C-alpha cells in the first residue's frame, strides 16, 4: 500500500512544528530531509493561510527561532490528533481572537453553562462548547483538544491532566410525587438504604460508577429493590421517577440548582457517608489560558456563594 499523502496544510504544519522544536529552519530541514527553502516556503504558506501573513515565528537571541503569541497558540494545537486539524481548526488556533474550548458533562451543562457563557461573553471571548462522558473529556484534555473541562468524579487515570475540586456533593434519595416512598416518609428529612427495601428503583447504567455504588450499598445492607429503569444522566432521571413512581439514589445537586418541586428529597444516612465532586480539568504544565482562568474564577466564586447560602 502506498504511503498516505497528507493534506497540504498538514505538510506546512509539519515544517512549522519541526522548526519550533529544532529552533531553526536548518534544523527542521535536516530533520525532514528537505531543503531549507522548502521549510521556509511551508511556514510562509501557513502564515498566509492562517494568520493573514502575520509571523508565527521570529528570530530571537542567537538567531534561534521563537514563537509569536499566535504561533504559540498554533503550536499547542499540534498536539491534537491529525484528523482534528482541518484548516478551520488551525485558523481558530492561530487567530488573534481570544477563545476557549470548553467540555462539559451533559448534566453539569444544565446547571453551569449559563453562568460560564455570561462570563465569557462579557470578556469578548469566543466559546466553543462540547459535551461528553468522563472518559471522552479526560482524553480530550490530555490531547489538548480542550482548554478546560468540568465533570463529576470518580475519574479514570488521567496523566497529563490537572484536576481541581470545586464542590463536594453528598448523596440523597429522590422519589416521584405519587410513589409509595413519598407517601410513607413525606415528613422525614433523611432515609437509610434499608428504607428502600422492595421499592421500585431507577438505577444508573452498569458502566456508570454511581450504579456500582448503589449495588454495593444494597449488598452491604442485604436490601433488594425492584429495578424499573436505568439512566445515564439527571437530564432523564426526573421524568423516569415520575413515570414509574419510583425512587433513586443520586448526588445532591441542590448546591447547583433546586430539584423540581414535585419530587421528594431526603438526605441519605450512611455509616460511611460518600460524596462526589465537581472538578475542573485542564492540561497539565501551567495555569492554562487566560480564558480558562477567567472561567475557573467565576465558577469558584459562584459555587462558594452557593455553599455559604446552604451552610
Amino acid at each position: 500500500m502506498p504511503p498516505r499523502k497528507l493534506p497540504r496544510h498538514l505538510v506546512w504544519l509539519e515544517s512549522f512544528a519541526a522548526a519550533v522544536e529544532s529552533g531553526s529552519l536548518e534544523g527542521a530541514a535536516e530533520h525532514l530531509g528537505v531543503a531549507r527553502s522548502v521549510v521556509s516556503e511551508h511556514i510562509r504558506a501557513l502564515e498566509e493561510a492562517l494568520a493573514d501573513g502575520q509571523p508565527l515565528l521570529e528570530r530571537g537571541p542567537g538567531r534561534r527561532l521563537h514563537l509569536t503569541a499566535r504561533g504559540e497558540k498554533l503550536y499547542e494545537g499540534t498536539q491534537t490528533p491529525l484528523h482534528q486539524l482541518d484548516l478551520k481548526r488551525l485558523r481558530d488556533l492561530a487567530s488573534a481572537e481570544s477563545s476557549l474550548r470548553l467540555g462539559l458533562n451533559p448534566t453539569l451543562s444544565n446547571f453551569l453553562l449559563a453562568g460560564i457563557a455570561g462570563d465569557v461573553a462579557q470578556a469578548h471571548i469566543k466559546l466553543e462548547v462540547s459535551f461528553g462522558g468522563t472518559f471522552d473529556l479526560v482524553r480530550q484534555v490530555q490531547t489538548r483538544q480542550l482548554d478546560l473541562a468540568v465533570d463529576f468524579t470518580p475519574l479514570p487515570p488521567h496523566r497529563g491532566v490537572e484536576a481541581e475540586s470545586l464542590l463536594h456533593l453528598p448523596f440523597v434519595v429522590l422519589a416521584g410525587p405519587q410513589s409509595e416512598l413519598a407517601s410513607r416518609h413525606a415528613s422525614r428529612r433523611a432515609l437509610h438504604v434499608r428504607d428502600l427495601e422492595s421499592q421500585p428503583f431507577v438505577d444508573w447504567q452498569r458502566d456508570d460508577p454511581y450504579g456500582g455504588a448503589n449495588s454495593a450499598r444494597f449488598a452491604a445492607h442485604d436490601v433488594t429493590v425492584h429495578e424499573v429503569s436505568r439512566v445515564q444522566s439527571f437530564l432523564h432521571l426526573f421524568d423516569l421517577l415520575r413515570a414509574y413512581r419510583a425512587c433513586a439514589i443520586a448526588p445532591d445537586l441542590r448546591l447547583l440548582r433546586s430539584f423540581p418541586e414535585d419530587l421528594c428529597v431526603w438526605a441519605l444516612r450512611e455509616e460511611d457517608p460518600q460524596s462526589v465532586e465537581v472538578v475542573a480539568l485542564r492540561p497539565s504544565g501551567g495555569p492554562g489560558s487566560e480564558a480558562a482562568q477567567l472561567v475557573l474564577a467565576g465558577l469558584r466564586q459562584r459555587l462558594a456563594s452557593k455553599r455559604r447560602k446552604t451552610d
Side-chain angles (χ1 to χ4, degrees):
M1 179 181 296
R4 184 177 61 172
K5 187 175 180 179
L6 290 174
R8 282 189 310 164
H9 66 277
L10 293 183
V11 175
W12 301 339
L13 192 67
E14 184 179 37
S15 291
F16 167 73
V20 172
E21 291 162 8
S22 66
S24 69
L25 299 182
E26 294 79 9
E30 182 179 353
H31 173 72
L32 297 173
V34 299
R36 179 189 183 281
S37 60
V38 172
V39 174
S40 181
E41 289 173 8
H42 287 173
I43 293 175
R44 188 160 51 248
L46 200 64
E47 290 171 340
E48 291 294 336
L50 306 182
D52 302 318
Q54 296 299 308
L56 299 170
L57 292 164
E58 58 188 8
R59 295 285 185 183
R63 296 190 58 77
R64 185 174 178 83
L65 291 175
H66 292 275
L67 289 162
T68 64
R70 297 177 77 166
E72 188 170 348
K73 287 177 61 182
L74 178 62
Y75 181 67
E76 287 183 2
T78 65
Q79 312 305 312
T80 300
L82 287 181
H83 71 275
Q84 298 278 345
L85 295 177
D86 57 21
L87 267 174
K88 182 178 184 301
R89 179 75 203 119
L90 292 178
R91 287 192 187 100
D92 287 343
L93 286 168
S95 171
E97 181 183 19
S98 183
S99 64
L100 176 71
R101 296 168 298 167
L102 174 69
L104 288 172
N105 169 287
T107 295
L108 283 172
S109 70
N110 205 36
F111 297 95
L112 300 179
L113 183 55
I116 291 173
D119 291 341
V120 174
Q122 189 172 11
H124 305 291
I125 294 170
K126 179 180 179 180
L127 181 62
E128 301 175 41
V129 184
S130 61
F131 308 101
T134 295
F135 178 81
D136 285 337
L137 293 178
V138 168
R139 179 179 56 80
Q140 290 181 67
V141 172
Q142 284 176 318
T143 55
R144 297 182 180 272
Q145 297 175 60
L146 293 175
D147 304 306
L148 181 68
V150 185
D151 196 10
F152 290 116
T153 57
L155 295 168
H158 47 281
R159 184 177 59 183
V161 176
E162 293 184 6
E164 177 184 340
S165 177
L166 300 174
L167 189 65
H168 285 261
L169 303 174
F171 282 88
V172 294
V173 177
L174 297 171
Q178 298 179 337
S179 65
E180 179 184 346
L181 206 65
S183 300
R184 185 186 302 175
H185 300 298
S187 61
R188 292 176 59 178
R189 300 186 62 181
L191 295 180
H192 193 277
V193 174
R194 288 187 291 268
D195 294 314
L196 275 57
E197 174 67 38
S198 301
Q199 293 296 312
F201 189 79
V202 179
D203 206 354
W204 304 93
Q205 299 286 6
R206 288 304 181 215
D207 59 353
D208 189 297
Y210 303 139
N214 286 338
S215 298
R217 288 182 175 103
F218 297 141
H221 296 92
D222 196 24
V223 168
T224 301
V225 296
H226 174 47
E227 184 184 285
V228 295
S229 181
R230 295 181 188 174
V231 69
Q232 191 68 44
S233 168
F234 262 91
L235 302 179
H236 313 120
L237 176 62
F238 305 144
D239 288 336
L240 293 173
L241 292 177
R242 297 183 184 105
Y244 285 97
R245 301 182 182 181
C247 61
I249 295 175
D252 187 355
L253 296 185
R254 287 177 292 185
L255 280 172
L256 301 176
R257 185 183 294 178
S258 299
F259 287 127
E261 292 183 0
D262 64 325
L263 296 183
C264 293
V265 186
W266 301 267
L268 178 64
R269 289 193 293 109
E270 299 186 88
E271 291 80 4
D272 183 17
Q274 300 180 50
S275 66
V276 299
E277 295 174 273
V278 176
V279 291
L281 309 172
R282 60 179 183 268
S284 58
S289 67
E290 291 185 9
Q293 294 179 55
L294 172 75
V295 168
L296 274 175
L299 276 173
R300 294 185 194 111
Q301 183 177 7
R302 282 189 292 275
L303 294 177
S305 175
K306 290 178 181 292
R307 277 196 300 266
R308 287 193 295 269
K309 288 179 181 178
T310 58
D311 288 345

mmCIF file of all heavy atoms in Angstrom, residues 219-244:
data_model
loop_
_atom_site.group_PDB
_atom_site.id
_atom_site.type_symbol
_atom_site.label_atom_id
_atom_site.label_comp_id
_atom_site.label_asym_id
_atom_site.label_seq_id
_atom_site.Cartn_x
_atom_site.Cartn_y
_atom_site.Cartn_z
ATOM 1 N N ALA A 219 -26.036 -4.425 48.634
ATOM 2 C CA ALA A 219 -25.422 -5.690 49.057
ATOM 3 C C ALA A 219 -24.961 -5.612 50.508
ATOM 4 O O ALA A 219 -25.129 -6.567 51.282
ATOM 5 C CB ALA A 219 -24.250 -6.027 48.142
ATOM 6 N N ALA A 220 -24.414 -4.485 50.908
ATOM 7 C CA ALA A 220 -23.896 -4.343 52.269
ATOM 8 C C ALA A 220 -25.006 -4.409 53.314
ATOM 9 O O ALA A 220 -24.776 -4.839 54.453
ATOM 10 C CB ALA A 220 -23.140 -3.021 52.409
ATOM 11 N N HIS A 221 -26.230 -4.001 52.958
ATOM 12 C CA HIS A 221 -27.340 -3.977 53.916
ATOM 13 C C HIS A 221 -28.390 -5.040 53.620
ATOM 14 O O HIS A 221 -29.470 -5.003 54.215
ATOM 15 C CB HIS A 221 -27.988 -2.580 53.931
ATOM 16 C CG HIS A 221 -27.067 -1.498 54.423
ATOM 17 N ND1 HIS A 221 -26.271 -0.754 53.575
ATOM 18 C CD2 HIS A 221 -26.808 -1.044 55.687
ATOM 19 C CE1 HIS A 221 -25.575 0.114 54.287
ATOM 20 N NE2 HIS A 221 -25.881 -0.035 55.576
ATOM 21 N N ASP A 222 -28.068 -5.952 52.705
ATOM 22 C CA ASP A 222 -28.987 -7.037 52.347
ATOM 23 C C ASP A 222 -30.357 -6.489 51.956
ATOM 24 O O ASP A 222 -31.403 -6.970 52.401
ATOM 25 C CB ASP A 222 -29.113 -8.024 53.526
ATOM 26 C CG ASP A 222 -29.728 -9.356 53.088
ATOM 27 O OD1 ASP A 222 -29.624 -9.684 51.896
ATOM 28 O OD2 ASP A 222 -30.323 -10.044 53.934
ATOM 29 N N VAL A 223 -30.339 -5.459 51.111
ATOM 30 C CA VAL A 223 -31.554 -4.799 50.643
ATOM 31 C C VAL A 223 -31.791 -5.186 49.185
ATOM 32 O O VAL A 223 -30.864 -5.208 48.369
ATOM 33 C CB VAL A 223 -31.434 -3.267 50.784
ATOM 34 C CG1 VAL A 223 -32.557 -2.557 50.038
ATOM 35 C CG2 VAL A 223 -31.434 -2.869 52.251
ATOM 36 N N THR A 224 -33.048 -5.479 48.860
ATOM 37 C CA THR A 224 -33.421 -5.796 47.484
ATOM 38 C C THR A 224 -34.421 -4.758 46.991
ATOM 39 O O THR A 224 -35.435 -4.498 47.646
ATOM 40 C CB THR A 224 -34.057 -7.188 47.379
ATOM 41 O OG1 THR A 224 -33.117 -8.167 47.852
ATOM 42 C CG2 THR A 224 -34.428 -7.511 45.937
ATOM 43 N N VAL A 225 -34.120 -4.144 45.858
ATOM 44 C CA VAL A 225 -35.040 -3.189 45.243
ATOM 45 C C VAL A 225 -35.529 -3.774 43.917
ATOM 46 O O VAL A 225 -34.955 -4.718 43.380
ATOM 47 C CB VAL A 225 -34.366 -1.819 45.007
ATOM 48 C CG1 VAL A 225 -33.974 -1.177 46.321
ATOM 49 C CG2 VAL A 225 -33.174 -1.948 44.075
ATOM 50 N N HIS A 226 -36.586 -3.199 43.407
ATOM 51 C CA HIS A 226 -37.141 -3.619 42.122
ATOM 52 C C HIS A 226 -36.718 -2.600 41.070
ATOM 53 O O HIS A 226 -37.279 -1.521 40.975
ATOM 54 C CB HIS A 226 -38.667 -3.698 42.206
ATOM 55 C CG HIS A 226 -39.327 -3.985 40.898
ATOM 56 N ND1 HIS A 226 -38.905 -4.975 40.034
ATOM 57 C CD2 HIS A 226 -40.386 -3.377 40.290
ATOM 58 C CE1 HIS A 226 -39.672 -4.978 38.958
ATOM 59 N NE2 HIS A 226 -40.569 -4.011 39.083
ATOM 60 N N GLU A 227 -35.677 -2.945 40.299
ATOM 61 C CA GLU A 227 -35.166 -2.008 39.305
ATOM 62 C C GLU A 227 -36.156 -1.893 38.149
ATOM 63 O O GLU A 227 -36.461 -2.869 37.468
ATOM 64 C CB GLU A 227 -33.809 -2.469 38.778
ATOM 65 C CG GLU A 227 -33.182 -1.479 37.812
ATOM 66 C CD GLU A 227 -31.874 -1.998 37.227
ATOM 67 O OE1 GLU A 227 -30.858 -1.994 37.965
ATOM 68 O OE2 GLU A 227 -31.874 -2.398 36.048
ATOM 69 N N VAL A 228 -36.644 -0.686 37.907
ATOM 70 C CA VAL A 228 -37.628 -0.466 36.846
ATOM 71 C C VAL A 228 -37.030 0.250 35.637
ATOM 72 O O VAL A 228 -37.627 0.255 34.554
ATOM 73 C CB VAL A 228 -38.836 0.334 37.373
ATOM 74 C CG1 VAL A 228 -39.598 -0.472 38.419
ATOM 75 C CG2 VAL A 228 -38.390 1.689 37.943
ATOM 76 N N SER A 229 -35.854 0.867 35.821
ATOM 77 C CA SER A 229 -35.248 1.606 34.719
ATOM 78 C C SER A 229 -33.791 1.897 35.057
ATOM 79 O O SER A 229 -33.392 1.836 36.223
ATOM 80 C CB SER A 229 -36.006 2.913 34.478
ATOM 81 O OG SER A 229 -35.447 3.632 33.398
ATOM 82 N N ARG A 230 -33.026 2.197 34.015
ATOM 83 C CA ARG A 230 -31.655 2.671 34.186
ATOM 84 C C ARG A 230 -31.497 3.986 33.444
ATOM 85 O O ARG A 230 -32.149 4.213 32.433
ATOM 86 C CB ARG A 230 -30.648 1.652 33.639
ATOM 87 C CG ARG A 230 -30.638 0.335 34.382
ATOM 88 C CD ARG A 230 -29.599 -0.596 33.802
ATOM 89 N NE ARG A 230 -29.694 -1.929 34.377
ATOM 90 C CZ ARG A 230 -28.984 -2.967 33.960
ATOM 91 N NH1 ARG A 230 -28.138 -2.822 32.956
ATOM 92 N NH2 ARG A 230 -29.125 -4.142 34.528
ATOM 93 N N VAL A 231 -30.612 4.820 33.954
ATOM 94 C CA VAL A 231 -30.478 6.172 33.410
ATOM 95 C C VAL A 231 -29.004 6.553 33.376
ATOM 96 O O VAL A 231 -28.205 6.039 34.171
ATOM 97 C CB VAL A 231 -31.304 7.164 34.265
ATOM 98 C CG1 VAL A 231 -30.695 7.355 35.634
ATOM 99 C CG2 VAL A 231 -31.471 8.494 33.554
ATOM 100 N N GLN A 232 -28.644 7.434 32.486
ATOM 101 C CA GLN A 232 -27.257 7.881 32.377
ATOM 102 C C GLN A 232 -27.058 9.289 32.918
ATOM 103 O O GLN A 232 -25.965 9.656 33.292
ATOM 104 C CB GLN A 232 -26.820 7.861 30.909
ATOM 105 C CG GLN A 232 -25.323 8.051 30.690
ATOM 106 C CD GLN A 232 -24.509 6.873 31.184
ATOM 107 O OE1 GLN A 232 -24.880 5.725 30.948
ATOM 108 N NE2 GLN A 232 -23.422 7.130 31.888
ATOM 109 N N SER A 233 -28.122 10.075 33.014
ATOM 110 C CA SER A 233 -27.966 11.485 33.339
ATOM 111 C C SER A 233 -29.161 12.002 34.116
ATOM 112 O O SER A 233 -30.281 11.510 33.975
ATOM 113 C CB SER A 233 -27.809 12.296 32.040
ATOM 114 O OG SER A 233 -27.923 13.671 32.281
ATOM 115 N N PHE A 234 -28.924 13.048 34.898
ATOM 116 C CA PHE A 234 -30.013 13.740 35.575
ATOM 117 C C PHE A 234 -31.004 14.333 34.582
ATOM 118 O O PHE A 234 -32.159 14.581 34.917
ATOM 119 C CB PHE A 234 -29.454 14.877 36.443
ATOM 120 C CG PHE A 234 -29.303 14.512 37.886
ATOM 121 C CD1 PHE A 234 -28.122 13.980 38.357
ATOM 122 C CD2 PHE A 234 -30.343 14.690 38.773
ATOM 123 C CE1 PHE A 234 -27.972 13.639 39.687
ATOM 124 C CE2 PHE A 234 -30.207 14.358 40.108
ATOM 125 C CZ PHE A 234 -29.024 13.825 40.566
ATOM 126 N N LEU A 235 -30.546 14.560 33.367
ATOM 127 C CA LEU A 235 -31.428 15.134 32.368
ATOM 128 C C LEU A 235 -32.613 14.221 32.073
ATOM 129 O O LEU A 235 -33.623 14.665 31.539
ATOM 130 C CB LEU A 235 -30.651 15.406 31.075
ATOM 131 C CG LEU A 235 -29.436 16.333 31.216
ATOM 132 C CD1 LEU A 235 -28.751 16.506 29.874
ATOM 133 C CD2 LEU A 235 -29.844 17.678 31.784
ATOM 134 N N HIS A 236 -32.476 12.931 32.413
ATOM 135 C CA HIS A 236 -33.549 11.969 32.167
ATOM 136 C C HIS A 236 -34.165 11.424 33.455
ATOM 137 O O HIS A 236 -35.251 10.857 33.426
ATOM 138 C CB HIS A 236 -33.021 10.786 31.349
ATOM 139 C CG HIS A 236 -32.199 11.195 30.173
ATOM 140 N ND1 HIS A 236 -30.883 10.817 30.005
ATOM 141 C CD2 HIS A 236 -32.499 11.981 29.108
ATOM 142 C CE1 HIS A 236 -30.415 11.335 28.882
ATOM 143 N NE2 HIS A 236 -31.372 12.048 28.326
ATOM 144 N N LEU A 237 -33.464 11.574 34.558
ATOM 145 C CA LEU A 237 -33.870 10.905 35.795
ATOM 146 C C LEU A 237 -35.241 11.356 36.290
ATOM 147 O O LEU A 237 -36.084 10.541 36.662
ATOM 148 C CB LEU A 237 -32.819 11.160 36.885
ATOM 149 C CG LEU A 237 -33.135 10.610 38.281
ATOM 150 C CD1 LEU A 237 -33.264 9.092 38.248
ATOM 151 C CD2 LEU A 237 -32.059 11.035 39.270
ATOM 152 N N PHE A 238 -35.503 12.642 36.300
ATOM 153 C CA PHE A 238 -36.719 13.155 36.925
ATOM 154 C C PHE A 238 -37.975 12.610 36.251
ATOM 155 O O PHE A 238 -38.939 12.229 36.916
ATOM 156 C CB PHE A 238 -36.727 14.686 36.904
ATOM 157 C CG PHE A 238 -35.515 15.319 37.536
ATOM 158 C CD1 PHE A 238 -34.972 16.479 37.010
ATOM 159 C CD2 PHE A 238 -34.912 14.753 38.651
ATOM 160 C CE1 PHE A 238 -33.860 17.059 37.583
ATOM 161 C CE2 PHE A 238 -33.784 15.322 39.227
ATOM 162 C CZ PHE A 238 -33.264 16.474 38.691
ATOM 163 N N ASP A 239 -37.980 12.573 34.928
ATOM 164 C CA ASP A 239 -39.157 12.062 34.214
ATOM 165 C C ASP A 239 -39.396 10.588 34.525
ATOM 166 O O ASP A 239 -40.556 10.147 34.633
ATOM 167 C CB ASP A 239 -38.988 12.243 32.701
ATOM 168 C CG ASP A 239 -39.117 13.701 32.275
ATOM 169 O OD1 ASP A 239 -39.771 14.466 33.014
ATOM 170 O OD2 ASP A 239 -38.573 14.068 31.223
ATOM 171 N N LEU A 240 -38.332 9.831 34.682
ATOM 172 C CA LEU A 240 -38.485 8.404 34.986
ATOM 173 C C LEU A 240 -39.015 8.186 36.401
ATOM 174 O O LEU A 240 -39.817 7.280 36.635
ATOM 175 C CB LEU A 240 -37.147 7.684 34.803
ATOM 176 C CG LEU A 240 -36.647 7.621 33.360
ATOM 177 C CD1 LEU A 240 -35.246 7.040 33.308
ATOM 178 C CD2 LEU A 240 -37.583 6.789 32.501
ATOM 179 N N LEU A 241 -38.571 9.007 37.345
ATOM 180 C CA LEU A 241 -39.096 8.888 38.708
ATOM 181 C C LEU A 241 -40.600 9.144 38.728
ATOM 182 O O LEU A 241 -41.340 8.459 39.442
ATOM 183 C CB LEU A 241 -38.387 9.884 39.634
ATOM 184 C CG LEU A 241 -36.905 9.615 39.921
ATOM 185 C CD1 LEU A 241 -36.326 10.732 40.786
ATOM 186 C CD2 LEU A 241 -36.710 8.268 40.594
ATOM 187 N N ARG A 242 -41.054 10.101 37.955
ATOM 188 C CA ARG A 242 -42.490 10.393 37.902
ATOM 189 C C ARG A 242 -43.247 9.261 37.202
ATOM 190 O O ARG A 242 -44.287 8.803 37.688
ATOM 191 C CB ARG A 242 -42.720 11.706 37.161
ATOM 192 C CG ARG A 242 -42.121 12.940 37.825
ATOM 193 C CD ARG A 242 -42.483 14.199 37.039
ATOM 194 N NE ARG A 242 -41.849 15.392 37.580
ATOM 195 C CZ ARG A 242 -40.807 16.002 37.019
ATOM 196 N NH1 ARG A 242 -40.281 15.521 35.901
ATOM 197 N NH2 ARG A 242 -40.293 17.091 37.571
ATOM 198 N N ALA A 243 -42.715 8.824 36.062
ATOM 199 C CA ALA A 243 -43.437 7.828 35.263
ATOM 200 C C ALA A 243 -43.583 6.503 36.006
ATOM 201 O O ALA A 243 -44.648 5.880 35.967
ATOM 202 C CB ALA A 243 -42.719 7.608 33.931
ATOM 203 N N TYR A 244 -42.533 6.072 36.693
ATOM 204 C CA TYR A 244 -42.551 4.772 37.362
ATOM 205 C C TYR A 244 -42.944 4.864 38.841
ATOM 206 O O TYR A 244 -42.996 3.843 39.526
ATOM 207 C CB TYR A 244 -41.173 4.110 37.255
ATOM 208 C CG TYR A 244 -40.865 3.552 35.886
ATOM 209 C CD1 TYR A 244 -40.115 4.280 34.973
ATOM 210 C CD2 TYR A 244 -41.335 2.299 35.511
ATOM 211 C CE1 TYR A 244 -39.829 3.775 33.711
ATOM 212 C CE2 TYR A 244 -41.048 1.773 34.254
ATOM 213 C CZ TYR A 244 -40.302 2.518 33.364
ATOM 214 O OH TYR A 244 -40.026 1.999 32.115
#
